[in-house]
């Protein structure tokens, strides 16, 4: 029994050495308005990013933009992220919008995710990259940010732009170090023969 307990403890210690850090974890659960550490750039007087309790991906809150007949160019900008000691950061977020109004048959609005690396703004994702998707269904997107390792003034920009479009929902934003692979595990973590490898 002591050997089994010691072995389990050893496995936990070894596995914990492969843990990874988080730079940002935002589910919009702690506020009724956009969190103060985020920057909101609003161009439309009526509709911009707000917190909603309707239709969250997880928890009870999400960030959303409702459509307006007029022009919208609404940006939600993350707090500053410091990747100066990062090794393999990645961005994960969940989004939902209208395919009908954003892609086909209409192209009235866009959802664009960009990164501001302190010197330039580079597009990382748009709804066009997702191909065909179901209206109102949440999708989770993962983006490798390892190109920005060493930078200390990084921001993620979530932008809604268009006119007479439809809603855009955003939830579960995570910027973290991509997990390392524990010894003896497949690099994609799908080795289910060893329960310590994860899935």
């Amino acid at each position: 029994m002591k050997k089994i307990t010691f072995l389990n403890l050893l496995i936990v210690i070894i596995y914990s050495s492969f843990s990874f850090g988080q730079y940002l974890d935002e589910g919009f659960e702690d506020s009724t308005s956009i969190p103060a550490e985020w920057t909101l750039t609003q161009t439309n007087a009526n509709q911009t990013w707000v917190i909603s309790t309707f239709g969250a991906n997880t928890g009870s809150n999400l960030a959303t933009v409702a459509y307006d007949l007029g022009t919208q160019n609404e940006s939600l900008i993350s707090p500053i992220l410091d990747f100066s000691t990062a090794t393999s950061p990645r961005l994960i977020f969940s989004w939902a919008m209208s395919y009908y109004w954003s892609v086909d048959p209409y192209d009235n609005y866009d959802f664009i995710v960009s990164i501001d690396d302190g010197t330039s703004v580079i597009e990382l994702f748009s709804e066009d990259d997702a191909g065909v998707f179901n209206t109102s269904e949440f999708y989770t997107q993962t983006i490798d940010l390892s190109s920005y390792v060493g930078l200390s003034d990084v921001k993620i920009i979530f932008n809604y732009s268009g006119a007479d479009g439809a809603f855009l929902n955003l939830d579960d934003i995570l910027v973290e170090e991509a997990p390392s692979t524990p010894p003896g595990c497949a690099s994609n973590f799908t080795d289910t023969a060893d329960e310590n490898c994860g899935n």
Side-chain angles (χ1 to χ4, degrees), residues 15-25 87-90 92 174-182 189:
Y15 188 74
S16 67
S17 68
F18 291 91
S19 64
F20 48 98
Q22 291 183 351
Y23 302 96
L24 177 66
D25 187 359
T87 55
S88 56
R90 66 180 180 180
I92 303 172
L174 178 65
V175 180
E176 66 174 6
E177 284 289 327
S180 301
T181 306
F189 274 58

Side-chain angles (χ1 to χ4, degrees), residues 9-182:
L9 179 60
L10 184 61
I11 288 170
V12 168
I13 291 170
I14 291 172
Y15 188 74
S16 67
S17 68
F18 291 91
S19 64
F20 48 98
Q22 291 183 351
Y23 302 96
L24 177 66
D25 187 359
E26 185 63 75
F28 305 104
E29 296 299 319
D30 298 328
S31 181
T32 57
S33 59
I34 297 297
E37 61 272 19
W38 288 72
T39 301
L40 176 63
T41 302
Q42 179 177 355
T43 62
N44 186 284
N46 300 315
Q47 299 293 349
T48 190
W49 289 99
V50 296
I51 301 300
S52 174
T53 57
F54 178 75
N57 184 49
T58 62
S60 58
N61 289 5
L62 75 158
T64 187
V65 179
Y67 82 95
D68 188 84
L69 290 174
T71 300
Q72 291 175 275
N73 187 7
E74 316 304 308
S75 290
L76 184 61
I77 305 169
S78 77
I80 293 173
L81 306 171
D82 184 354
F83 292 157
S84 56
T85 60
T87 55
S88 56
R90 66 180 180 180
L91 165 65
I92 303 172
F93 60 92
S94 296
W95 59 277
M97 60 191 301
S98 169
Y99 185 82
Y100 183 88
W101 288 104
S102 68
V103 180
D104 186 43
Y106 296 99
D107 184 14
N108 287 8
Y109 75 117
D110 294 310
F111 172 41
I112 296 174
V113 180
S114 302
I115 190 164
D116 180 346
D117 66 6
T119 58
S120 59
V121 175
I122 300 155
E123 183 177 313
L124 299 173
F125 170 83
S126 80
E127 80 283 351
D128 290 333
D129 299 330
V132 177
F133 58 87
N134 295 322
T135 294
S136 299
E137 183 176 331
F138 268 101
Y139 292 88
T140 300
Q141 190 70 34
T142 301
I143 299 173
D144 178 18
L145 300 179
S146 58
S147 297
Y148 304 95
V149 166
L151 302 179
S152 60
D153 186 16
V154 177
K155 299 173 188 171
I156 308 297
I157 304 168
F158 299 92
N159 177 263
Y160 176 116
S161 60
D164 191 19
F167 70 95
L168 169 60
N169 292 338
L170 180 65
D171 204 356
D172 303 323
I173 301 168
L174 178 65
V175 180
E176 66 174 6
E177 284 289 327
S180 301
T181 306

Side-chain angles (χ1 to χ4, degrees), residues 178-190:
S180 301
T181 306
C185 296
S187 61
N188 61 4
F189 274 58
T190 58

